[in-house]
Amino acid sequence: MIEINNLENWIKEYFEDPENVKKAEKACERYDRLMVKNVRRQLMMGVEQINVIGDIDDPGKVLEKAKYEILPFTKVDGKKGKVRINMLDRTAEFIAD
């Protein structure tokens, strides 16, 4: 179990690690490729309005998996839950159990 006292400081330290920076860059590239694929699919379907950020048909949560890394079994300020790291924005949020 990972114990975090201050989530803001922890995420800064997390992205100071070169390995995590590489993971974030790869996540951005993958997310971009998936978005292009979705836009192409929408163009092929002949939709009148392209949906870039809104309700994209993503049944397997592919975009979400590319965008976020989840650390289960985390304890933040004494509360158990998980930390969801946004690899694109380089932010994190705690989700309590």
Side-chain angles (χ1 to χ4, degrees):
M1 179 173 285
I2 299 171
E3 290 194 32
I4 301 171
N5 293 326
N6 185 332
L7 191 59
E8 288 182 27
N9 290 339
W10 182 84
I11 199 68
K12 287 178 188 175
E13 291 173 9
Y14 182 84
F15 283 110
E16 287 176 357
D17 184 1
E19 184 177 315
N20 293 331
V21 172
K22 282 184 182 180
K23 282 196 315 189
E25 290 170 356
K26 286 182 181 180
C28 288
E29 291 171 7
R30 177 163 168 68
Y31 188 82
D32 288 346
R33 284 194 310 271
L34 291 169
M35 286 299 294
V36 168
K37 189 176 180 181
N38 279 337
V39 169
R40 282 185 183 161
R41 184 173 39 87
Q42 290 178 38
L43 287 171
M44 298 285 282
M45 291 171 43
V47 295
E48 293 181 21
Q49 184 176 1
I50 302 292
N51 228 350
V52 177
I53 297 178
D55 299 324
I56 297 174
D57 182 28
D58 190 17
K61 303 281 185 197
V62 176
L63 286 170
E64 186 175 325
K65 289 176 185 175
K67 185 175 183 178
Y68 296 105
E69 179 178 347
I70 296 180
L71 300 177
F73 311 115
T74 309
K75 194 173 191 179
V76 177
D77 298 327
K79 298 177 186 173
K80 292 182 181 179
K82 58 185 173 184
V83 173
R84 188 167 88 162
I85 302 169
N86 184 328
M87 299 301 278
L88 307 183
D89 298 334
R90 297 185 181 191
T91 58
E93 68 176 315
F94 176 70
I95 302 169
D97 284 341

